[in-house]
Amino acid sequence: MTEITPQLVREHGLSPAEYARIVELLGRAPNFVELGIFSVMWSEHCSYKSTRAHLRRLPTRAPWVLQGPGENAGVIDIGDGDVAVFKMESHNHPSFIEPYQGAATGVGGIMRDVFTMGARPVAMMNALRFGAPEHEKMRHLVSGVVAGIGGYGNCMGVPTVGGEVNFHPSYNGNILVNAMCVGLARADRIFKSAAKGAGNPVVYIGSKTGRDGIHGATMASAEFSEDSQEKRPTVQVGDPFTEKLLLEACLELMATDAIVAIQDMGAAGLTSSSAEMASKGGSGIVLDLDRVPQREEKMTAYEMLLSESQERMLAVLKPGREAEAERIFKKWELDFAVIGTTTDTSRFVVRHEGKTVADIPVHALSEEAPVYQRPFEKRAAIAEEPAFDRTKPLIESLVKLIGSPDLCSRRWIWEQYDWSVMADTVQAPGGDAAVVRVHGTNKALAITTDVTPRYCRADPFEGAKQAVAEAWRNLTAAGARPLAITDNLNFGNPEKPDIMGEIASCIDGIAEVCRALDFPVVSGNCSLYNETNGEAILPTPAIGAVGLIVDVRRMATPALKRESDAIILIGETKGHLGQSLYLREIEGKENGGAPVVDLAAERRHGDFVRGLIESGKLDTVHDVSDGGLLVALTEMAMGGGMGARIARGDSADAIPFCFGEDQGRYLFALPATEADRVLREAARAGIPAILLGQTGGDRIAIAGVGEVSIDALKRAHEAWFPGYMSNAELPPTN
C-alpha cells in the first residue's frame, strides 16, 4: 500500500490545508486512489477554486437563454423550436508540449461538450495566441497546432469557419489554444448530466481506456518550468474517426427515450464525469472498474479513474434499456459496458478486483471543493498619451501594417481547414464573423471570437469590456442580433495578487458590457497558471459569441461591391494610438492606455447599422478595430478587388486619424444616392457619421497624402505567413 506522505500530497497539487480538509471530510486519511481522485476534482482546472466567487458576478440569464453555465454547454433559443448549443474551452498546456495532439484533442473535447447536449456540431472556431515569431519553437508550434485543428475537424466533417491568430512574446513559453464549437438541436431534445434516481445503470461508451492523459487536469492547474517536456505523457491522443462514430451513435441513442443523463469524459476522465453526474443529480454512484473496457494490460484503479483517454462518454440509462443501447453502440463498432449503478447513498464508491478502492461522500468532491477569496491588487490603468513621429510616411506604414504578423492574411491557416463541409457556410473565414446557415432554413448563426490582450494589460477592466464589445460589433457588422457569449479566461498564476487583480477586473469588465448590451454569458472555461518560470502571459479573456440572422438573404460582408459607392464612417474618431498596432509595428513601442468603450454609443451605433442591414439597404460593412480606419478600409478594398478615394487625412493629425483604434466604429459602403438620407438618419439618432469618400479604381488614394495599388497591398498582406512557415528570413519588426 502506498504511503501518503507530505511529498506525495504536494506532487498531487494539494496544499497542506487542503489535505487536512480531505482528512476531515473523510474522517480518516485517504488512500492512494482517493488522493488521486481529490487531486483532480479539487484542481483549478476542474473546481475553479480561484475564480468561482468572481464568476458569480457575470449575467447569465435572458428570455432566450435555455441553459446557462453549469452544464456541458450553453443553450439559446433561435426560434422555430431550434436552439444553438455552444461553448469555448482551452487546451493550452497540452498544445505547448505536443502541439498536434494537444490542439486535436482540444477540438475533440469541445465537440463532445456540444453533442453530449444532444446537438449536432455545425461549426468550429478557435482563438490562438503564439509567442514571438522569431522564437526558436514557434514555427513548430504554429504548424502543429494548425495541423491538429484541421486534422481533427476535417475528419469529423465539421467546418472550421474562423477564429483569431496573434503573436506576442508573452506567449513564448505558454501558447494559448482555445477552441469553440457551435451545434444545433431541437429545444425539446436537450440532454443534461444530472444523474437523478437510484438503481439506474451507468454505462461506458466509446473508446477503450488507456494510460494517456493521466493527471492532465492537474498539469493544467500548474505553471510550466524547464521540465515541461517531461509532462508529455499527460497529453492525450485523439482519434477523430472514432469520435465521428461516437457522435452518430450518441445522437441515435438520443432519438430514443432511454437516457437519464449523459456526460463527456473530459478533464479527469471517468472520475469527474461520474462524480459530477452524481452531484448534480443528488444521488450516489457505484463503479466497478473490472468492467471498464481497457486498452492496456494490468491497469490500476488509479490509472483508470484518472486517465483522460479520448472519445469516451458516460451515460445513465433507464433500467431495462441496456440491451437497446448496446445494440446501437455495437452497430457503430464502439465499446459499450455497464460499469455501475446510481444509488441513494450520496457516496462515490469505486470497486476493483473485488475490493472497495474508494468510498467518498459525493459532496466532498463537488460542493466541498475549496473556494478561495484570493487576495488581489487591481492596478491603476495606464493613461499616458503615447508620443509618435508625425513625419512617418503614411502609405509606407499602411503597407507594413497590412503585412505584419497580426494583420496579414490567415489564408495559409484557413486553407488547411475544411470550412465549407456540410454546405451551410455562408461567410468564409476572413470577415468580421463567420455565418452558418441553419440547415434547410433562411436563418443563420453569426459566430466570432475576440479579445485584444494588449488592451487588457494596459487596463484589464476596459480591455475586457472591449473584447465583449468587439464581439458584439462583429456579429452586428454581419447583420446578426447578438444573443450570448461563451468566455475562455486565460491568465497567469492566481496566487499572485496582481494576476488575481487582472482576473477580477476582467470579469467585472465582461459583466458590465454583458449587462449593458443584453449579451449574457451562457458557458465558459477558466485556464489559469499560464506562465513559465514565473513569467505570465498577457491577460487574455477570449470571448466567443453567437448571434442570429433571421433572413440570411439580408446580411452584410466587408468586401467592397460596387463602383462609386459612398463610404461612410459611423462613430467618433479621436485618434487613439495607445496600445495600437500602429504604435507597436511602426514605432516599435507598446505603451499608452487602452481605448475607452462607451457602451451607450456601442448600442446606438450597432442598432443603427444592424437596422440598415435588416432593411435591405446595406450589404457592405466592416467594424473598425486593430490597425484603425485605414486598415479596415484596405481590408474591404482587398476583399472586393476594388479601390477607394478618401477625402480626409490631409491634416497634421493624419496618422492618428488613419490608424487610431477608437471603439464603436463601423465603415460601410452603399449607393451614393442613399448617402445623404443615411447621414440624416444618423444625425437624428445622435450618431456621429461622416462621408469619407467613394469606391472605385484600383488603388487606395488619400487626399493630400498619397496612394497605393490594391495589388501592392495584397502582395504585402498575403506574403507573411507563407514566407514565415517556409522558413524564409523574417522581416524586421520595426
Side-chain angles (χ1 to χ4, degrees):
M1 180 177 293
T2 304
E3 180 184 2
I4 308 300
T5 64
Q7 174 64 24
L8 189 63
V9 171
R10 283 195 299 273
E11 289 173 359
H12 280 74
L14 294 164
S15 70
E18 289 171 341
Y19 181 74
R21 178 61 176 154
I22 291 168
V23 172
E24 180 184 348
L25 289 167
L26 291 177
R28 57 176 171 79
N31 62 36
F32 181 60
V33 172
E34 291 168 334
L35 183 70
I37 291 170
F38 274 102
S39 76
V40 292
M41 292 302 294
W42 284 19
S43 69
E44 190 73 59
H45 192 75
C46 291
S47 73
Y48 290 10
K49 56 191 175 186
S50 297
T51 56
R52 205 184 313 175
H54 295 277
L55 293 171
R56 293 173 182 143
R57 298 197 295 274
L58 294 173
T60 60
R61 297 182 180 181
W64 53 90
V65 175
L66 303 184
Q67 177 62 58
E71 272 294 339
N72 289 290
V75 183
I76 56 173
D77 186 352
I78 58 171
D80 309 307
D82 296 319
V83 297
V85 180
F86 63 98
K87 188 181 182 182
M88 182 158 57
E89 277 205 345
S90 61
H91 233 218
N92 302 335
H93 285 54
S95 298
F96 182 78
I97 295 170
E98 212 302 296
Y100 184 94
Q101 290 296 347
T105 52
V107 170
I110 195 63
M111 282 196 197
R112 288 194 300 279
D113 279 341
V114 166
F115 73 72
T116 194
M117 300 288 293
R120 179 175 291 279
V122 297
M124 292 294 302
M125 297 280 280
N126 51 72
L128 311 178
R129 296 295 183 300
F130 296 105
E134 62 271 17
H135 187 276
E136 60 183 2
K137 287 191 65 173
M138 219 45 60
R139 281 189 186 88
H140 164 70
L141 291 171
V142 172
S143 177
V145 165
V146 171
I149 291 170
Y152 207 103
N154 295 352
C155 291
M156 283 291 294
V158 177
T160 300
V161 294
E164 295 184 286
V165 184
N166 296 108
F167 295 85
H168 191 277
S170 79
Y171 306 104
N172 281 353
N174 200 128
I175 64 172
L176 301 184
V177 176
N178 296 170
M180 178 181 175
C181 181
V182 181
L184 290 169
R186 297 295 291 173
D188 59 354
R189 302 299 294 167
I190 297 299
F191 292 81
K192 299 184 181 181
S193 58
K196 297 178 180 178
N200 296 324
V202 178
V203 299
Y204 173 116
I205 48 185
S207 290
K208 289 180 169 63
T209 294
R211 291 187 171 94
D212 49 326
I214 293 173
H215 269 300
T218 309
M219 177 193 71
S221 306
E223 296 179 31
F224 273 158
S225 61
E226 297 299 340
D227 66 350
S228 61
Q229 287 300 323
E230 296 177 12
K231 298 180 181 180
R232 186 177 296 270
T234 63
V235 178
Q236 311 95 319
V237 177
D239 179 356
F241 299 106
T242 298
E243 176 125 334
K244 174 64 173 173
L245 299 177
L246 183 62
L247 163 65
E248 300 301 339
C250 285
L251 293 179
E252 185 172 337
L253 180 62
M254 288 166 172
T256 73
D257 65 346
I259 296 174
V260 174
I262 188 166
Q263 172 81 19
D264 163 42
M265 287 195 220
L270 184 55
T271 292
S272 65
S273 56
S274 54
E276 288 173 5
M277 290 173 83
S279 174
K280 291 176 183 177
S283 64
I285 196 164
V286 176
L287 300 179
D288 183 352
L289 298 185
D290 294 336
R291 300 181 181 181
V292 171
Q294 298 167 50
R295 195 173 66 231
E296 302 181 50
E297 294 182 357
K298 297 180 180 179
M299 290 191 70
T300 66
Y302 182 97
E303 290 170 332
M304 280 186 274
L305 286 167
L306 272 60
S307 167
E308 294 184 6
S309 295
Q310 296 292 286
E311 294 86 40
R312 301 180 301 158
M313 307 279 276
L314 200 66
V316 175
L317 304 181
K318 295 176 181 177
R321 308 300 291 273
E322 298 94 322
E324 178 184 0
E326 184 173 14
R327 282 194 299 272
I328 292 172
F329 284 89
K330 292 300 183 185
K331 183 186 80 172
W332 290 99
E333 299 181 346
L334 294 165
D335 280 285
F336 176 96
V338 179
I339 67 167
T341 186
T342 58
T343 69
D344 59 4
T345 64
S346 296
R347 297 190 73 83
F348 179 72
V349 179
V350 183
R351 296 187 177 126
H352 184 229
E353 296 178 346
K355 298 177 182 178
T356 297
V357 296
D359 188 347
I360 303 169
V362 167
H363 70 87
L365 299 175
S366 52
E367 291 93 335
E368 295 293 339
V371 177
Y372 292 128
Q373 293 281 359
R374 297 198 185 277
F376 60 87
E377 298 172 358
K378 291 188 177 181
R379 65 174 180 267
I382 297 172
E384 64 177 307
E385 287 291 331
F388 65 96
D389 182 354
R390 297 178 185 276
T391 67
K392 292 271 189 183
L394 192 144
I395 295 298
E396 289 179 22
S397 295
L398 172 62
V399 174
K400 185 172 182 179
L401 264 177
I402 207 69
S404 65
D406 277 10
L407 288 175
C408 70
S409 170
R410 270 70 177 130
R411 185 185 305 277
W412 181 91
I413 293 175
W414 57 258
E415 283 188 344
Q416 298 184 54
Y417 303 154
D418 190 344
W419 51 266
S420 62
V421 66
M422 300 179 82
D424 281 317
T425 304
V426 182
Q427 284 201 38
D432 289 318
V435 177
V436 177
R437 184 191 304 270
V438 176
H439 191 72
T441 76
N442 284 325
K443 295 186 300 188
L445 298 177
I447 313 164
T448 186
T449 58
D450 293 287
V451 67
T452 309
R454 61 185 187 276
Y455 295 168
C456 296
R457 177 183 56 185
D459 185 340
F461 178 76
E462 206 66 36
K465 283 175 59 181
Q466 190 274 340
V468 181
E470 185 173 345
W472 195 84
R473 205 180 307 135
N474 280 335
L475 299 178
T476 295
R481 176 193 168 202
L483 291 177
I485 72 167
T486 180
D487 56 33
N488 204 142
L489 308 180
N490 305 274
F491 293 91
N493 184 345
E495 297 167 46
K496 298 177 179 178
D498 59 328
I499 300 295
M500 197 64 230
E502 291 178 347
I503 296 169
S505 294
C506 282
I507 289 173
D508 286 341
I510 292 169
E512 181 167 305
V513 183
C514 289
R515 283 191 295 268
L517 299 180
D518 294 324
F519 204 23
V521 183
V522 298
S523 60
N525 172 248
C526 292
S527 176
L528 309 185
Y529 296 94
N530 288 292
E531 53 184 86
T532 300
N533 296 326
E535 293 295 320
I537 62 166
L538 296 181
T540 311
I543 303 297
V546 174
L548 177 66
I549 299 176
V550 175
D551 186 347
V552 76
R553 293 168 296 185
R554 289 188 172 180
M555 68 172 186
T557 64
L560 298 180
K561 299 174 179 65
R562 295 167 293 272
E563 295 271 344
S564 301
D565 267 9
I567 301 170
I568 291 175
L569 172 64
I570 294 290
E572 188 176 6
T573 299
K574 296 180 179 179
H576 183 96
L577 285 177
Q579 300 298 326
S580 66
L581 281 181
Y582 177 87
L583 209 64
R584 190 178 84 188
E585 298 296 329
I586 306 303
E587 296 278 349
K589 298 183 290 192
E590 293 186 42
N591 62 348
V596 173
V597 177
D598 181 333
L599 295 175
E602 286 284 0
R603 168 145 259 174
R604 282 196 308 274
H605 301 177
D607 289 350
F608 179 74
V609 170
R610 190 184 315 106
L612 292 174
I613 299 169
E614 289 174 342
S615 67
K617 299 172 184 174
L618 188 59
D619 63 1
T620 306
V621 183
H622 194 15
D623 93 300
V624 181
S625 55
D626 279 355
L629 169 64
L630 194 52
V631 165
L633 179 62
T634 298
E635 290 168 342
M636 297 172 78
M638 291 188 299
M642 182 185 304
R645 296 177 295 281
I646 302 301
R648 297 292 297 265
D650 56 347
S651 70
D653 295 319
I655 287 174
F657 177 79
C658 289
F659 300 117
E661 296 181 4
D662 305 274
Q663 299 297 294
R665 297 186 296 164
Y666 300 82
L667 266 181
F668 60 76
L670 77 175
T673 53
E674 297 293 314
D676 285 345
R677 179 186 57 79
V678 169
L679 289 170
R680 287 194 300 271
E681 287 181 15
R684 285 195 297 270
I687 294 170
I690 59 172
L691 178 65
L692 280 180
Q694 66 178 21
T695 64
D698 62 356
R699 56 197 57 239
I700 298 287
I702 306 165
V705 174
E707 59 184 42
V708 58
S709 72
I710 301 301
D711 285 344
L713 289 165
K714 280 186 175 179
R715 285 195 299 272
H717 188 56
E718 296 286 348
W720 191 87
F721 247 110
Y724 176 62
M725 297 311 296
S726 65
N727 281 307
E729 183 177 350
L730 288 174
T733 57
N734 55 64

